[in-house]
């Protein structure tokens, strides 16, 4: 989808924002025993800290590593959705532990229990991050991106357009 550096930055900012927003609401709800009106401002304050960390981590580590991992797979060319799902899945596999590391350092203050707290954070966050990315955030961000940057939309093959 994104072809230029500017497009990659825009796509990364959109993806980071929507992923961090959902994950901060989720984690605030976990910490408070459920998300309440009082928890929303807390999650939004944490968003201000985690959003730039997510974007920088994703842009310089997560996305390049996920792209290299996807390149090693044998994906069927006739099913482009396989590439999208593989890239999304592997990005979550890289970013969830990385962002859980940031969250452990910033919010949990684990002391000597750092590794167990970080692992627990990863285990709690991974299912939400995975399903949010695959079913909601990924499609939403791709739709917003295609709306904002129509030239980046993948052209429909002539054979498919004729059907």
């Amino acid at each position: 989808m994104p072809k230029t550096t500017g497009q990659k930055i825009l796509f990364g900012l959109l993806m980071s924002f929507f992923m961090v927003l959902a994950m901060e609401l989720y984690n605030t709800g976990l910490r408070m025993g459920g998300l309440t009106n009082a928890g929303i401002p807390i999650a939004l304050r944490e968003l201000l800290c985690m959003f730039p960390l997510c974007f920088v981590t994703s842009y310089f580590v997560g996305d390049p590593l996920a792209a290299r991992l996807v390149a090693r797979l044998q994906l069927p060319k006739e099913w482009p959705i396989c590439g999208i799902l593989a890239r999304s899945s592997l990005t979550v596999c890289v970013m969830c532990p990385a962002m859980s590391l940031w969250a452990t350092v910033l919010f949990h203050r684990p002391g000597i229990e750092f590794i167990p707290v970080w692992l627990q954070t990863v285990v709690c966050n991974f299912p939400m991050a995975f399903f949010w990315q695959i079913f909601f955030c990924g499609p939403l961000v791709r739709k917003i991106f295609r709306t904002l940057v129509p030239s980046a939309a993948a052209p429909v093959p002539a054979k498919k357009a004729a059907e």
Side-chain angles (χ1 to χ4, degrees), residues 41-63:
I42 295 168
L44 294 177
R45 275 194 304 275
E46 291 176 2
L47 171 80
L48 295 174
C49 167
M50 295 300 281
F51 170 61
L53 287 173
C54 180
F55 175 73
V56 169
T57 303
S58 173
Y59 191 81
F60 291 107
V61 179
D63 290 339

Side-chain angles (χ1 to χ4, degrees), residues 1-4 6-7 10-11 14 142-154:
M1 293 233 337
K3 295 175 178 85
T4 67
Q7 290 175 0
L10 175 62
F11 188 84
L14 289 168
R142 285 189 291 277
K143 174 72 172 166
I144 292 170
F145 182 77
R146 284 192 305 267
T147 302
L148 294 174
V149 187
S151 63

Side-chain angles (χ1 to χ4, degrees), residues 7-19:
Q7 290 175 0
K8 289 177 185 176
I9 290 171
L10 175 62
F11 188 84
L13 288 169
L14 289 168
M15 189 65 75
S16 295
F17 175 78
F18 286 106
M19 282 301 294

Side-chain angles (χ1 to χ4, degrees), residues 24-139:
E24 288 308 319
L25 290 168
Y26 173 72
N27 280 298
T28 301
L30 285 178
R31 283 194 313 271
M32 296 179 73
L35 187 60
T36 63
N37 287 336
I40 293 173
I42 295 168
L44 294 177
R45 275 194 304 275
E46 291 176 2
L47 171 80
L48 295 174
C49 167
M50 295 300 281
F51 170 61
L53 287 173
C54 180
F55 175 73
V56 169
T57 303
S58 173
Y59 191 81
F60 291 107
V61 179
D63 290 339
L65 182 55
R68 284 196 303 267
L69 293 171
V70 169
R72 299 175 76 187
L73 299 175
Q74 298 291 327
L75 298 171
K77 301 249 187 267
E78 61 274 5
W79 294 347
I81 190 69
C82 290
I84 292 169
L85 291 174
R87 178 71 180 259
S88 295
S89 299
L90 289 170
T91 299
V92 171
C93 288
V94 172
M95 288 301 294
C96 183
M99 293 310 297
S100 293
L101 180 73
W102 284 117
T104 300
V105 169
L106 295 173
F107 304 121
H108 295 291
R109 296 180 181 86
I112 196 160
E113 298 291 330
F114 181 82
I115 298 222
V117 172
W118 172 63
L119 291 173
Q120 181 176 351
T121 305
V122 172
V123 168
C124 288
N125 284 330
F126 189 85
M128 172 61 176
F130 180 79
F131 287 105
W132 175 251
Q133 171 58 235
I134 298 296
F135 294 111
F136 300 102
C137 187

